[in-house]
Amino acid sequence: MALLQAESITVCVDNRPLLSDVSLEVEAGELVCVIGPNGAGKSTLLTALCGETAMDNGWVNFKGTPLHNLSARNRARQVAVLPQNNPLTFAFTGLELVSLSRTPHSTGNERDRQICQEAMAMLDVNHLSERLYPTLSGGEQQRLQLARVMAQIWRAEDGGDRLLLLDEPATSLDIAHQYGMMRAVRDFARSGVAVVMTVHDLAHASGYSDRILALKQGHSMAYGSAESVLTAENIQQLYGYSVTVIPHPLTGRSLVVADV
């Protein structure tokens, strides 16, 4: 049984469907990327998966039971969410910000600090430990926020099976840190975490995902491996733009090249 199961998710606002009959399954250790044009319903899907947005139809199960059956503390110990926008003006240091994630746990200050430092090292932000958050660049803030949600569910022994939901975490990152972030998220998934993340860069989806969900106007247009989803025909249908898809010269994965 998949760790996360979502079936027939439908979300409407003012009688307008934002999501219509969307389903997916994610195994522990698996990274699923969600792609699609602006307004396709990617962020709505993530908020529906974590229970932040009410569904008009469908259900979400975590470990075979409804996610909403988890107590608030157990949910915080097993499910971490990073939205697109994380406004914060309070002058926390980088380490203090990441340490907020350990509140649901009872692992003690020393172990919590070690976990936060490990998560920060994974995102290359240990040098920001004593820097004040509002003084940092957008990319530095984004990497600290990602370290925070990863530290929240860092250890399986703290809460068991774990789920990480990320909404466009590459926003504000330069190219080196984008790919560093993608490697960190993939490696974190391999530690036994089910990860669902929305991305705009198709190279990220192709290079690091186990499966890809393509959304268009709230509908699931395709769901499967990168090779089956990232075809020239699908991309044309999804974005209305002509592309050529070729094998990556090093990895063999699907490489989407815009026809200029």
Side-chain angles (χ1 to χ4, degrees):
M1 178 185 298
L3 183 61
L4 176 69
Q5 296 174 296
E7 186 70 29
S8 303
I9 295 179
T10 299
V11 176
C12 298
V13 173
D14 297 329
N15 295 319
R16 182 174 67 89
L18 301 183
L19 287 175
S20 300
D21 198 30
V22 175
S23 301
L24 78 158
E25 293 186 348
V26 189
E27 304 281 353
E30 186 177 28
L31 170 57
V32 172
C33 286
V34 184
I35 65 171
N38 295 333
K42 301 185 297 296
S43 296
T44 301
L45 175 62
L46 288 195
T47 58
L49 290 177
C50 69
E52 185 179 328
T53 293
M55 296 179 291
D56 293 87
N57 189 42
W59 49 264
V60 177
N61 279 359
F62 181 64
K63 299 189 295 185
T65 60
L67 182 61
H68 59 74
N69 283 358
L70 287 176
S71 68
R73 185 180 183 190
N74 282 336
R75 185 181 302 193
R77 294 171 69 176
Q78 297 178 79
V79 182
V81 184
L82 183 65
Q84 279 189 45
N85 300 310
N86 299 277
L88 177 66
T89 57
F90 193 83
F92 287 115
T93 65
L95 181 58
E96 286 172 340
L97 172 75
V98 177
S99 297
L100 294 175
S101 66
R102 300 301 301 170
T103 302
H105 302 282
S106 302
T107 39
N109 290 338
E110 183 176 347
R111 184 67 180 111
D112 284 345
R113 183 182 181 89
Q114 181 182 359
I115 288 170
C116 291
Q117 290 173 334
E118 291 172 359
M120 292 173 73
M122 201 171 192
L123 275 302
D124 189 28
V125 288
N126 267 338
H127 63 289
L128 303 177
S129 293
E130 303 304 320
R131 294 278 303 278
L132 297 181
Y133 184 83
T135 70
L136 302 176
S137 71
E140 291 171 328
Q141 292 180 350
Q142 185 76 352
R143 285 151 56 208
L144 277 172
Q145 292 286 359
L146 182 53
R148 175 181 60 81
V149 295
M150 290 170 67
Q152 180 181 333
I153 55 172
W154 192 252
R155 307 194 317 168
E157 55 265 43
D158 288 338
D161 294 310
R162 296 161 292 159
L163 171 65
L164 180 62
L165 304 174
L166 305 173
D167 198 358
E168 297 185 25
T171 302
S172 303
L173 301 186
D174 60 52
I175 187 170
H177 285 116
Q178 285 181 27
Y179 284 96
M181 178 273 299
M182 291 301 303
R183 286 193 297 271
V185 171
R186 180 194 58 195
D187 292 347
F188 193 53
R190 297 296 184 261
S191 73
V193 182
V195 180
V196 182
M197 63 185 296
T198 67
V199 298
H200 275 301
D201 192 323
L202 299 183
H204 294 166
S206 174
Y208 295 92
S209 68
D210 296 293
R211 285 188 283 175
I212 297 174
L213 171 64
L215 291 180
K216 181 179 181 181
Q217 296 179 341
H219 295 270
S220 176
M221 200 194 82
Y223 184 42
S225 66
E227 291 71 25
S228 66
V229 174
L230 297 180
T231 66
E233 294 78 13
N234 281 346
I235 300 304
Q236 171 69 47
Q237 182 180 349
L238 190 62
Y239 295 100
Y241 198 87
S242 178
V243 301
T244 298
V245 179
I246 60 175
H248 191 284
L250 297 180
T251 66
R253 290 221 174 194
S254 298
L255 183 62
V256 179
V257 182
D259 294 344
V260 294

